[in-house]
Amino acid sequence: MSSMVHQLLEVLDKTLTGKPANKREWDYKIVPQTIMKTLRDYKLLKTFDPENPVNTDESLADEFWEAGFALALELGMFCPETGRIVKFTEEELKEGLERAPKQVYLGIGKDKILLKHRRPEDPTPPAAAMSALGLIVSEELYIPICQSIAQYRVVDILLGCTFEKILGRSVRARTPYETLAGFYEAQAIREALRRAGRPGMPVYGVEGAPTEYGVFGGFIWGGFEPERTIAICLLPEPLVLSYRILHRVAVAVTVGAPLEAGHLFTIGGYAGPPEGAALGAVAGHILQAASMQPTVDESSIIDGRYFGNGGREALWALSVANQAKSRNSHVMIHEGTAQVAGPGTDMILYESAAIAMTLVASGAAVIMGTRPAACRYPNYCSGLENKFCAEVVKASAGLKLEKANEIVKELVPKYEGKLKRPPKGKSFTELTDLKTLQPVKEWVEIYERVWRELEDLGLKKP
């Protein structure tokens, strides 16, 4: 057996032997109380600065790292199937961080790319992983939507959408429908990439897998190729290490696919204020490295008041957490942009620019987007907002934190008043010529206007 399988077995053993606890106690007592105690002990409460959405004090980021490591050591993770707390020693946490790769090649042939660890203000461009992230789309539009994103060479990695139906049937979780849907997604993405002229492009999979069954179907022979597919292993709840997720880890480890571990800490959830979400994200990063053996790690943040991360609190928490992680470990950071405005609006572009610049300047190695209208409306997406987001990702490489903060401070007032009631925008068929898969004129004009505004603020279009 490989060393990765042995490491997974050791984690599984811990799920059977850890201290007993119940889920309610974990969610409502242990986690929130420990986070708040750690914030107080390390004097990190009220460090959020609403006037500066991008943190520029890297010593503060290091303080969050120190506190986050202490939190990871004290908390551990909860396994709901066994009702046990999975704890790691200080040595095991450090070994998990050290074991993670600093770089990896992904893709096949001329579409192969190199992912590398980045630090704040790093001139190395991050990878742009684009998608209609988490969006439900009609079966007949699935391949055109994926092709419309992959056609832009500035996009490095493709993540598929979520099928509304497969061959006219609804996908039901934990049934053979889901297993078949995982394989069907792999086939559809392969066809979209063939049509886009990028057959070896790196991808993520399985996006449309509500449980582990979709991953089982997606990685069987003829499905997603391990040499170019990052297996998605996202925790439904932060710090909760369920067997549903460890099944996914087991698949990735046994087929030899790179792995994305991830979670979302919610501002206003049990992490509390922006400082609590940032602290939880750092602790989650450390614990996921020890428990899930990620190739790339996502320990991200969302604001529960509007389910996006373009507001001041979320941007600040993302910046301080990612600076803490990228300065103090070599784990490659994956981060997601969570927009709430719909496609075809200038707001989704302003959000994308602010979030992407914050993440790139703070050291993220892979930036994922887009998530139009917070996934509220099926088929509300297009290729152009993904092209724009990928361009901002590339243009932000080497951006100083002070400059990023300066630009973001100009962008946030353009949309923050609409975060809770954002514009719906338009659907894929309204924004795209279905014969050429090119954006319609009105959408291009908005895109060009916003890019001119960014260039006036000092961001050069790549």
Side-chain angles (χ1 to χ4, degrees):
M1 284 190 184
S2 71
S3 62
M4 295 183 74
V5 172
H6 279 292
Q7 289 153 16
L8 176 57
L9 289 170
E10 289 174 2
V11 172
L12 287 169
D13 292 342
K14 288 178 181 287
T15 67
L16 303 175
T17 58
K19 180 182 176 181
N22 65 67
K23 184 68 164 51
R24 184 174 180 81
E25 180 186 23
W26 177 261
D27 286 345
Y28 293 101
K29 182 179 178 181
I30 296 173
V31 173
Q33 289 183 5
T34 308
I35 287 176
M36 291 305 295
K37 179 180 182 298
T38 306
L39 286 173
R40 288 192 295 268
D41 289 348
Y42 284 82
K43 297 180 173 54
L44 295 174
L45 276 172
K46 301 191 183 302
T47 51
F48 163 57
D49 180 3
E51 299 303 315
N52 292 290
V54 179
N55 175 60
T56 58
D57 180 359
E58 293 181 90
S59 65
L60 178 63
D62 291 342
E63 291 172 20
F64 268 90
W65 176 263
E66 184 182 357
F69 195 97
L71 181 63
L73 189 61
E74 183 170 355
L75 267 183
M77 304 178 81
F78 179 73
C79 179
E81 287 84 358
T82 62
R84 302 274 180 169
I85 297 175
V86 178
K87 287 230 181 183
F88 299 90
T89 65
E90 181 176 350
E91 182 181 2
E92 287 171 331
L93 293 177
K94 290 179 178 178
E95 285 177 353
L97 294 168
E98 186 60 33
R99 195 166 51 229
K102 297 178 182 179
Q103 63 178 47
V104 64
Y105 284 97
L106 288 175
I108 301 169
K110 66 179 183 179
D111 297 306
K112 183 180 288 189
I113 64 169
L114 175 64
L115 297 186
K116 296 181 68 175
H117 169 257
R118 298 177 68 255
R119 290 174 59 85
E121 304 180 347
D122 199 317
T124 305
M130 296 292 118
S131 172
L133 182 57
L135 187 70
I136 294 173
V137 303
S138 303
E139 190 172 359
E140 68 273 12
L141 292 178
Y142 192 98
I143 290 174
I145 287 171
C146 289
Q147 183 184 348
S148 76
I149 298 168
Q151 68 182 333
Y152 296 115
R153 290 282 167 177
V154 70
V155 176
D156 299 303
I157 310 174
L158 179 71
L159 171 70
C161 323
T162 300
F163 277 107
E164 183 178 36
K165 294 183 178 181
I166 57 163
L167 301 180
R169 279 85 165 175
S170 296
V171 179
R172 294 171 170 83
R174 301 188 70 82
T175 71
Y177 290 103
E178 184 189 345
T179 307
L180 290 168
F183 184 79
Y184 195 59
E185 178 181 314
Q187 295 288 303
I189 289 176
R190 184 177 294 130
E191 175 60 18
L193 296 183
R194 184 193 68 78
R195 294 183 188 182
R198 305 185 69 181
M201 186 180 188
V203 297
Y204 282 80
V206 176
E207 170 64 5
T211 77
E212 64 274 21
Y213 285 81
V215 176
F216 295 157
F219 279 92
I220 61 175
W221 187 88
F224 285 105
E225 302 103 323
E227 63 268 33
R228 59 100 166 254
T229 307
I230 300 176
I232 302 170
C233 302
L234 304 183
L235 305 177
E237 303 170 75
L239 308 182
V240 176
L241 189 65
S242 70
Y243 280 179
R244 286 189 298 160
I245 297 304
L246 291 175
H247 270 302
R248 296 173 183 242
V249 175
V251 169
V253 166
T254 51
V255 303
L259 183 154
E260 176 207 355
H263 71 266
L264 284 174
F265 257 102
T266 303
I267 296 172
Y270 59 48
E275 299 92 338
L279 182 63
V282 173
H285 172 87
I286 295 165
L287 286 163
Q288 287 167 183
S291 61
M292 298 172 68
Q293 305 175 64
T295 307
V296 295
D297 183 89
E298 177 182 14
S299 48
S300 198
I301 293 162
I302 201 163
D303 194 316
R305 294 169 296 182
Y306 55 90
F307 298 104
N309 56 17
R312 293 172 188 270
E313 292 90 343
L315 291 169
W316 179 88
L318 285 169
S319 68
V320 76
N322 281 292
Q323 290 164 33
K325 294 180 287 183
S326 63
R327 281 173 56 83
N328 292 280
S329 88
H330 67 244
V331 180
M332 291 182 285
I333 296 171
H334 166 115
E335 276 289 356
T337 61
Q339 301 84 351
V340 296
T345 68
D346 58 7
M347 181 172 167
I348 193 174
L349 303 183
Y350 292 136
E351 288 181 275
S352 297
I355 303 165
M357 273 188 281
T358 299
L359 296 174
V360 175
S362 297
V366 184
I367 311 297
M368 179 166 280
T370 57
R371 187 171 164 267
C375 304
R376 293 185 182 94
Y377 313 111
N379 300 325
Y380 268 63
C381 63
S382 81
L384 189 58
E385 68 265 13
N386 285 282
K387 176 178 185 278
F388 175 87
C389 189
E391 287 172 339
V392 173
V393 166
K394 300 302 183 182
S396 301
L399 199 63
K400 300 299 182 185
L401 290 169
E402 292 281 359
K403 183 62 176 177
N405 185 48
E406 178 186 313
I407 298 175
V408 171
K409 284 198 294 185
E410 293 292 328
L411 294 176
V412 172
K414 293 177 182 289
Y415 63 80
E416 63 184 336
K418 297 183 284 186
L419 285 168
K420 294 180 182 178
R421 292 187 178 180
K424 182 178 180 179
K426 295 182 178 181
S427 68
F428 180 76
T429 54
E430 293 174 295
L431 294 172
T432 310
D433 182 319
L434 296 183
K435 291 183 179 179
T436 65
L437 294 185
Q438 295 303 302
V440 298
K441 180 182 177 182
E442 305 87 80
W443 189 199
V444 172
E445 289 173 348
I446 294 172
Y447 156 88
E448 291 177 342
R449 171 172 59 81
V450 173
W451 250 122
R452 286 194 298 270
E453 292 178 34
L454 290 179
E455 289 182 319
D456 289 343
L457 292 171
L459 191 71
K460 186 177 179 181
K461 186 177 180 181

